[in-house]
Amino acid sequence: MNKYLSLSYMLKHFDEKREDLAPYGLTCEVWRPNVMRRADRHNEIEINYLPEGSITYLIHDKKIHVEKGSFVVFWALLPHQIVDYEGDAPYFVITIPFGLISQWNMSKSFLDLLFKGRIQMFETVQNLQITTALFKQWVLDLESKLPYLNEVCALEIQAYLKRLMFQKSNNDEIELKMELPSMNLVEQMAIFIAQNFTKPIKVTDVSRAVGIHSDYANAIFKKAFDVSLSHYLIQQRVLYVQRKLTITMDPITSIAYEAGFNSISRFNASFLKFVGMTPREYRKLIQTDR
C-alpha cells in the first residue's frame, strides 16, 4: 500500500447509488477493491490494471479472474461487478468514451471483439514499476482537469492501448481504420436499447428514438457491430436472462418476461439459439460449476 500513499486521498470505490448508465467520461482513477453488491453499466470502454493482488469480475454470466500485472478491457455496457478479490492493494481503472475510442484508429478486429461483448486480457508491455508510474501520472494529470493535460493523457492512453494490441497480435494483424458512419446515432441506439430492452420495444422504436428510418438504422448499426438491431436487442435480453439465472433462483418464466420477452416459446427459441442449451440446462450447469 505504501506505493500508493501519494494517491491515497484519491482512492475511489463503487457508489451503489450511482445512476445506471451514467457516464464517467475519460478517466484514469485508482480504486480500492471491494465486492460490489450490484452491477455497474456505462457506455465507455473500461480498462482495469492490477499492479498487485487479483480481482474476480462477474461480467454477464462469466467469471473473469484478473491477476497481478494484467489488464482486462471490455465494453462497460456489459453489466459488471467485482465478486471477489485477493489483497487490498489499489488497482487502476481507465474509462474511455465510446465516441472517443472510435476516433483512435484502433485495429478493426479489436473493436469488433469489444462491441460484440468480448472481454480481452493483456499482460503489461513494460515492467510493473514503469507501468504503475505511468498510470499514476495519468491519474494526477486527469485529476487536474487541465485541457492540455487531458489531451496529452488521451494520446498516451491511445498509444499504450495500441502497444498492448500489437504485443498480443505478434505482428500478425494490420492496423485498419474502422469507418463507422453516424457513430453518434449508433451510440444513441445502443444506449436506448440498454435502457429499454426489458420493455416491449421493436426495431422501429429504436430507429424512431434517434429520428431515422428503420432501414437506415439497421444499415449503420450492422456496419458498426456486424449484427442487426433485432439480433442485438434479443441478445441483450438473453444476456440479461443468463445473468439472472446465474445470481438468482427466480422462476425462469418470470425472468423471461422481466427481460422483455412477450412469448415463452420465442424466449426458449432465442435462448437456445444464443446459448446452445435450454435455460434449465444452463442454470443447472452454472450451479454445478459454483
Side-chain angles (χ1 to χ4, degrees):
M1 182 72 78
N2 291 338
K3 301 176 186 177
Y4 303 92
L5 284 178
S6 62
L7 300 178
S8 60
Y9 71 99
M10 301 170 69
L11 281 176
K12 307 285 186 178
H13 66 277
F14 178 61
D15 180 5
E16 295 177 3
K17 297 180 180 179
R18 167 184 160 78
E19 182 182 352
D20 193 33
L21 294 173
Y24 286 94
L26 176 64
T27 68
C28 182
E29 298 175 331
V30 58
W31 285 57
R32 185 187 302 279
N34 281 299
V35 172
M36 296 164 60
R37 295 185 181 180
R38 73 168 181 86
D40 192 16
R41 289 192 308 158
H42 48 97
N43 189 38
E44 286 121 347
I45 301 305
E46 181 167 325
I47 304 171
N48 290 182
Y49 162 58
L50 273 70
E52 303 285 346
S54 68
I55 57 176
T56 302
Y57 267 113
L58 181 64
I59 301 181
H60 277 314
D61 63 316
K62 295 181 177 63
K63 284 190 175 181
I64 308 296
H65 194 62
V66 189
E67 296 279 0
K68 173 182 177 179
S70 297
F71 294 80
V72 60
V73 184
F74 58 93
W75 190 15
L77 267 182
L78 301 170
H80 54 283
Q81 66 188 107
I82 295 175
V83 294
D84 195 14
Y85 65 93
E86 293 180 8
D88 62 353
Y91 65 101
F92 293 92
V93 177
I94 290 176
T95 57
I96 307 168
F98 181 94
L100 179 59
I101 202 167
S102 69
Q103 302 170 18
W104 279 4
N105 192 23
M106 311 303 285
S107 79
K108 183 178 186 302
S109 61
F110 171 75
L111 291 177
D112 283 347
L113 290 173
L114 279 182
F115 297 148
K116 291 174 185 176
R118 294 283 296 277
I119 298 115
Q120 301 191 57
M121 301 282 292
F122 301 89
E123 298 297 323
T124 179
V125 295
Q126 299 164 318
N127 69 51
L128 294 183
Q129 186 175 0
I130 293 174
T131 299
T132 302
L134 182 60
F135 272 68
K136 288 174 69 175
Q137 190 62 55
W138 290 339
V139 171
L140 294 170
D141 287 349
L142 288 172
E143 180 68 17
S144 74
K145 307 296 184 184
L146 295 174
Y148 171 73
L149 288 178
N150 190 85
E151 182 180 354
V152 169
C153 288
L155 290 170
E156 290 178 345
I157 292 169
Q158 175 187 359
Y160 196 88
L161 193 52
K162 287 191 174 186
R163 282 184 178 275
L164 290 176
M165 291 188 304
F166 179 78
Q167 172 189 265
K168 190 169 186 177
S169 67
N170 197 27
N171 298 323
D172 290 336
E173 186 176 83
I174 300 173
E175 294 290 328
L176 298 174
K177 184 174 182 180
M178 188 179 184
E179 296 181 3
L180 300 178
S182 303
M183 181 52 67
N184 287 338
L185 292 176
V186 173
E187 181 179 8
Q188 290 172 38
M189 287 188 281
I191 292 175
F192 180 82
I193 291 173
Q195 292 174 326
N196 296 283
F197 69 85
T198 58
K199 302 173 184 176
I201 61 171
K202 300 178 181 179
V203 170
T204 51
D205 298 308
V206 180
S207 61
R208 190 180 299 116
V210 298
I212 58 177
H213 191 277
S214 57
D215 290 343
Y216 180 60
N218 246 322
I220 64 173
F221 195 90
K222 190 166 186 178
K223 186 161 188 176
F225 295 148
D226 199 29
V227 296
S228 67
L229 273 168
S230 60
H231 178 105
Y232 185 81
L233 175 58
I234 295 171
Q235 183 183 49
Q236 297 313 299
R237 289 171 173 160
V238 169
L239 288 168
Y240 178 88
V241 172
Q242 285 182 267
R243 181 171 182 80
K244 294 288 283 189
L245 291 174
T246 302
I247 63 176
T248 78
M249 288 303 297
D250 295 350
I252 293 173
T253 300
S254 65
I255 294 175
Y257 286 123
E258 184 182 326
F261 289 100
N262 56 16
S263 162
I264 296 303
S265 60
R266 187 171 301 168
F267 158 67
N268 286 327
S270 298
F271 194 94
L272 183 62
K273 175 184 176 181
F274 280 93
V275 185
M277 62 184 76
T278 67
R280 193 175 302 277
E281 290 169 339
Y282 178 81
R283 173 175 267 172
K284 183 177 180 181
L285 178 65
I286 287 295
Q287 291 178 350
T288 301
D289 288 344
R290 284 181 178 175

